[in-house]
Amino acid sequence: MIERLLCRITLLDPDRVRERLLDFEARGQVPRAPNPWQVTCGVLRMWGRILFRSETIGTSVDAPVRDTWRARLLAFRPLRFPFLLAEGAITPWDLSGLYSDPARVSQHLICAHHDGHQFVYDFELLACDREVVEALVEEVRAVVSGEHPRAEWLRDLTVFEGYHEALLEAAERALRGELLLPEEQADDPDMSFLAYLRWCAEQPPTLRLFRGGSLAAGRSEVAA
């Protein structure tokens, strides 16, 4: 009962999430899909990142803030949050991305800053949706060229210089199958969606085993 409730709270629709997980497994993108409880553990891990490693989200190590008044204001992340929420660019109720449809993931990439190789997680999530990535490339090209009617706003919303240029390059590489993480980040669940699924699959398959102190992954099974 507690396990089902936690899955419902964190995943919203465990059955929908389960179907997407099995699709990734059927396509051979992961050897064994985690079950909804294991993904719930992954979501709790993500909340830990938000609470204790928030400096890794929405910031930039190298790029400067754009020299506009909006970008300077939005560099303060709590102020940025309601605008990202209004744009449908972030979904605090779906941290894994498994509940969101591909269009929302695309919107997340266009509007929310990703630093360094953080694009990879979302493009791995979109690996089965080539048409969405192709449409994303065209929209980002319009932002970069200035032809997009909201180009300046989207640039300011992502705060840092060069964001959409880097996103365009990453999207084009994703279409060619060339978007890869450096070897030292390939197994980082923060950076790779496939690494995130592998991490989830290594967690105890039920709350009962977790409470019993077992860290054995067990076989994939669907939470009732």
Side-chain angles (χ1 to χ4, degrees):
M1 175 64 74
I2 294 176
E3 181 177 320
R4 287 197 295 270
L5 178 61
L6 287 173
C7 287
R8 179 70 62 181
I9 291 171
T10 57
L11 305 182
L12 299 181
D13 187 344
D15 289 337
R16 174 175 173 172
V17 169
R18 177 194 61 192
E19 290 174 4
R20 294 202 66 192
L21 290 167
L22 293 177
D23 187 45
F24 280 105
E25 181 179 271
R27 291 173 182 267
Q29 291 174 282
V30 288
R32 177 172 60 84
N35 67 25
W37 167 249
Q38 290 169 318
V39 177
T40 294
C41 292
V43 172
L44 295 177
R45 180 189 185 279
M46 288 180 164
W47 273 112
R49 180 186 180 194
I50 291 171
L51 294 174
F52 303 111
R53 295 185 290 121
S54 62
E55 72 282 357
T56 65
I57 303 169
T59 60
S60 178
V61 175
D62 300 311
V65 173
R66 283 171 52 79
D67 189 21
T68 67
W69 66 268
R70 286 189 306 201
R72 289 193 295 269
L73 283 176
L74 294 171
F76 181 57
R77 284 178 297 166
L79 184 60
R80 203 185 319 168
F81 179 83
F83 294 100
L84 291 172
L85 200 62
E87 290 281 354
I90 55 173
T91 50
W93 52 90
D94 178 33
L95 293 182
S96 71
L98 284 163
Y99 180 79
S100 297
D101 60 39
R104 184 178 288 275
V105 177
S106 176
Q107 184 75 354
H108 171 68
L109 282 164
I110 292 171
C111 297
H113 178 77
H114 293 66
D115 202 38
H117 298 286
Q118 291 176 349
F119 297 117
V120 172
Y121 185 104
D122 299 282
F123 281 115
E124 288 180 344
L125 189 57
L126 290 174
C128 301
D129 301 285
R130 184 179 178 84
E131 291 182 1
V132 173
V133 180
E134 289 173 342
L136 172 66
V137 166
E138 293 306 311
E139 185 167 4
V140 178
R141 278 179 182 158
V143 174
V144 170
S145 69
E147 297 174 0
H148 195 291
R150 304 174 71 223
E152 288 305 305
W153 164 243
L154 292 172
R155 284 184 174 276
D156 285 343
L157 184 58
T158 53
V159 176
F160 298 98
E161 289 286 0
Y163 174 76
H164 288 94
E165 287 80 359
L167 174 59
L168 178 58
E169 179 185 358
E172 291 174 337
R173 289 174 60 199
L175 284 176
R176 298 193 300 266
E178 298 173 359
L179 187 61
L180 302 174
L181 283 168
E183 185 177 350
E184 65 273 13
Q185 294 179 333
D187 291 322
D188 185 346
D190 291 345
M191 303 296 290
S192 166
F193 172 68
L194 300 182
Y196 171 77
L197 292 185
R198 291 194 297 269
W199 185 93
C200 290
E202 292 170 357
Q203 306 314 302
T206 67
L207 177 61
R208 178 181 57 81
L209 289 180
F210 184 84
R211 291 189 300 182
S214 171
L215 296 180
R219 296 184 63 184
S220 179
E221 47 190 74
V222 176

